[in-house]
């Protein structure tokens, strides 16, 4: 009897399918990583608020709106002749702020209100002139004789109104962990810029509570952060042994850094002469609290907080020398953003591999 041919089943064929799938998956991951790399490079150069800005004018000049040419800062005569006050929109200890109009454009006119604080006002003007960059509100003109400063107008106002702005229907699409983390990155970028400024290491002293900090910064229409008030910006010079003190009154509360609080207990009355000075690490202590405000309570914000836990814990070290620099905080924020964008773009990839 003739035997039928005996066919042997080849076991390697089914294994080829998952191998091919895995190869395709790896190729897709590599392609996606390349696209993310290009995107993040573009992000850091445009949204990351780098210091070099080809749109900035030479010192003493400004470019306003869509105008291509740079104009010299407005003089006393030009401000008196061409700027028209519309209404008062704010008043602080040092100055009163008016929404104004110049050549049919909205601008902000700030005027000294307390002659005893004219040195603070002039210091703020000096800082504003010297620190013009993508991190600082644009200076349009000034008049020292009349204690007047003219700056660019930003309709969204200070960061105190951020949550209210994000609930306006027009801006609800901005109310995401991604956009909020980018605002926190902008804020830390400003701190880094002040700590490494052309003038040296500057400390943001108008920051004794969260509300005060937020009032010092503006939210631009394209959702970036600018520092607006530079009246209290003393200089640290370690080589010369120069540290700072933020004012001459006792500071209290958990928001200010430990070294800013009276160190000799309740039984010893506060004396400014006995209060030890400190350095820029007071700004680092406050970063977690300000960033917590930025992150809010939107979907994904708790995941961001979890990724920032270690760097924020380092910011809260009691010893200022153990706290990270603003650059180190900024680097960590950017790495976390890149990581979370990558994970959002490739959900489940880790499990599949």
């Amino acid at each position: 009897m003739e035997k039928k041919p005996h066919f042997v089943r080849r076991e390697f064929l089914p294994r080829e399918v998952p191998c091919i799938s895995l190869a395709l998956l790896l190729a897709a991951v590599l392609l996606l990583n390349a696209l993310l790399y290009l995107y993040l490079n573009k992000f850091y150069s445009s949204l990351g608020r780098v210091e070099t800005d080809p749109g900035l004018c030479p010192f003493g000049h400004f470019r306003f709106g869509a105008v291509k040419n740079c104009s010299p800062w407005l003089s006393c005569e030009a401000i008196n002749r061409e700027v028209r006050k519309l209404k008062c929109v704010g008043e602080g200890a040092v100055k009163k702020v008016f929404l104004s109009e110049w050549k049919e454009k909205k601008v902000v006119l700030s005027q000294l209100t307390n002659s005893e604080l004219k040195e603070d006002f002039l210091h703020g003007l000096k800082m504003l002139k010297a620190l013009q960059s993508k991190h600082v509100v644009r200076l349009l003109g000034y008049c020292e004789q009349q204690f007047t400063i003219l700056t660019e107008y930003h309709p969204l106002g200070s960061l105190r109104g951020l949550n209210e702005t994000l609930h306006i229907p027009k801006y609800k699409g901005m109310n995401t962990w991604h956009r909020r983390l980018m605002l926190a990155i902008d804020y830390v970028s400003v701190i880094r810029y002040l700590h490494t400024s052309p003038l040296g290491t500057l400390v943001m002293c108008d920051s004794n509570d969260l509300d005060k900090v937020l009032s010092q910064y503006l939210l631009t229409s394209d959702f970036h952060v600018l520092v607006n008030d530079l009246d209290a910006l003393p200089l640290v010079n370690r080589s010369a042994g120069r540290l700072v003190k933020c004012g001459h009154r006792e500071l209290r509360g958990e928001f200010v850094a430990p070294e800013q609080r009276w160190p000799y207990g309740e039984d010893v009355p506060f004396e400014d002469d006995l209060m030890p000075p400190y350095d820029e690490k007071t700004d680092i202590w406050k970063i977690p609290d300000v960033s917590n405000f930025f992150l809010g309570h939107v979907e994904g914000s708790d995941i961001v907080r979890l990724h920032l836990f270690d760097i924020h814990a380092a910011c809260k070290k009691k010893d200022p020398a153990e706290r990270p620099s603003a650059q180190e905080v900024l680097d960590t924020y950017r790495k976390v953003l890149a990581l979370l964008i990558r994970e959002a773009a490739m959900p489940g990839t880790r499990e599949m591999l």
Side-chain angles (χ1 to χ4, degrees):
M1 187 174 178
E2 187 178 345
K3 291 186 178 180
K4 293 182 180 180
H6 192 68
F7 295 101
V8 179
R9 185 174 296 173
R10 301 173 74 94
E11 296 293 339
F12 65 88
L13 287 175
R15 292 177 184 172
E16 288 183 353
V17 176
C19 288
I20 293 172
S21 299
L22 184 59
L24 290 173
L25 178 61
L26 287 171
V29 169
L30 290 172
L31 177 61
L32 192 52
N33 273 328
L35 293 173
L36 280 170
Y37 174 80
L38 293 174
Y39 166 77
L40 290 169
N41 266 356
K42 183 178 180 182
F43 165 77
Y44 290 143
S45 61
S46 61
L47 300 181
R49 315 298 281 167
V50 293
E51 271 68 62
T52 55
D53 179 9
L56 283 177
C57 294
F59 182 80
H61 295 72
F62 69 92
R63 181 185 287 117
F64 196 48
V67 178
K68 293 183 179 180
N69 296 327
C70 294
S71 302
W73 287 333
L74 299 185
S75 63
C76 297
E77 181 184 358
I79 291 174
N80 292 333
R81 184 180 66 249
E82 301 172 12
V83 177
R84 180 170 65 94
K85 290 180 185 177
L86 298 178
K87 63 177 180 179
C88 179
V89 292
E91 184 173 1
V94 178
K95 53 187 178 284
K96 187 177 287 189
V97 180
F98 297 90
L99 175 62
S100 305
E101 192 175 59
W102 175 69
K103 293 187 176 181
E104 300 183 349
K105 297 182 179 70
K106 296 289 192 302
V107 293
V108 173
L109 188 73
S110 302
Q111 292 184 316
L112 179 69
T113 54
N114 185 347
S115 59
E116 295 181 0
L117 298 175
K118 64 182 180 181
E119 293 303 320
D120 291 342
F121 184 91
L122 293 175
H123 177 73
L125 173 58
K126 176 185 175 183
M127 295 294 105
L128 197 53
K129 289 192 290 184
L131 298 175
Q132 285 294 289
S133 70
K134 295 188 76 170
H135 302 292
V136 179
V137 69
R138 185 171 299 162
L139 178 64
L140 307 180
Y142 64 93
C143 180
E144 285 194 37
Q145 297 93 313
Q146 298 173 8
F147 297 98
T148 299
I149 299 174
L150 193 70
T151 54
E152 190 173 14
Y153 172 63
H154 293 280
L156 295 183
S158 79
L159 287 176
R160 285 190 294 190
L162 174 63
N163 289 323
E164 289 75 12
T165 297
L166 289 171
H167 282 94
I168 297 173
K170 178 181 177 181
Y171 298 111
K172 278 190 174 180
M174 297 286 195
N175 196 18
T176 63
W177 70 262
H178 176 255
R179 178 60 65 169
R180 283 176 170 271
L181 178 54
M182 283 162 51
L183 290 174
I185 288 174
D186 267 3
Y187 165 72
V188 177
S189 296
V190 174
I191 298 300
R192 188 275 311 269
Y193 176 64
L194 295 178
H195 288 185
T196 58
S197 83
L199 301 177
T201 302
L202 300 167
V203 182
M204 193 66 176
C205 265
D206 256 344
S207 56
N208 297 335
D209 57 64
L210 178 61
D211 193 64
K212 187 64 175 174
V213 170
L214 298 175
S215 71
Q216 310 301 305
Y217 296 85
L218 295 171
L219 179 65
T220 67
S221 296
D222 60 348
F223 270 68
H224 283 298
V225 174
L226 297 175
V227 63
N228 180 52
D229 196 331
L230 304 174
D231 295 346
L233 210 60
L235 178 69
V236 169
N237 188 337
R238 284 193 184 81
S239 60
R242 184 194 303 163
L243 299 178
V244 304
K245 287 192 286 187
C246 291
H248 304 287
R249 298 179 181 178
E250 182 177 2
L251 301 179
R252 296 176 178 268
E254 292 299 314
F255 188 82
V256 297
E259 64 270 23
Q260 291 184 282
R261 302 172 210 154
W262 180 242
Y264 303 116
E266 295 290 338
D267 296 334
V268 180
F270 177 82
E271 286 187 40
D272 184 44
D273 291 341
L274 298 180
M275 181 66 198
Y278 33 83
D279 62 18
E280 77 280 3
K281 290 299 184 73
T282 57
D283 290 333
I284 304 300
W285 171 273
K286 298 161 189 173
I287 286 176
D289 299 291
V290 180
S291 290
N292 187 54
F293 167 81
F294 278 122
L295 292 175
H297 300 285
V298 298
E299 183 180 356
S301 62
D302 286 342
I303 298 297
V304 179
R305 287 185 179 90
L306 184 63
H307 281 81
L308 296 177
F309 180 85
D310 288 342
I311 192 68
H312 282 173
C315 290
K316 291 293 187 179
K317 294 280 189 180
K318 188 172 183 180
D319 182 356
E322 295 181 3
R323 295 173 205 154
S325 67
Q327 182 66 61
E328 290 171 320
V329 178
L330 181 59
D331 290 343
T332 301
Y333 274 40
R334 286 174 169 170
K335 287 176 184 175
V336 167
L337 176 61
L339 171 67
L340 293 177
I341 288 176
R342 190 161 57 244
E343 289 185 350
M346 300 182 293
T349 302
R350 190 175 298 167
E351 289 77 6
M352 293 170 68
L353 293 174

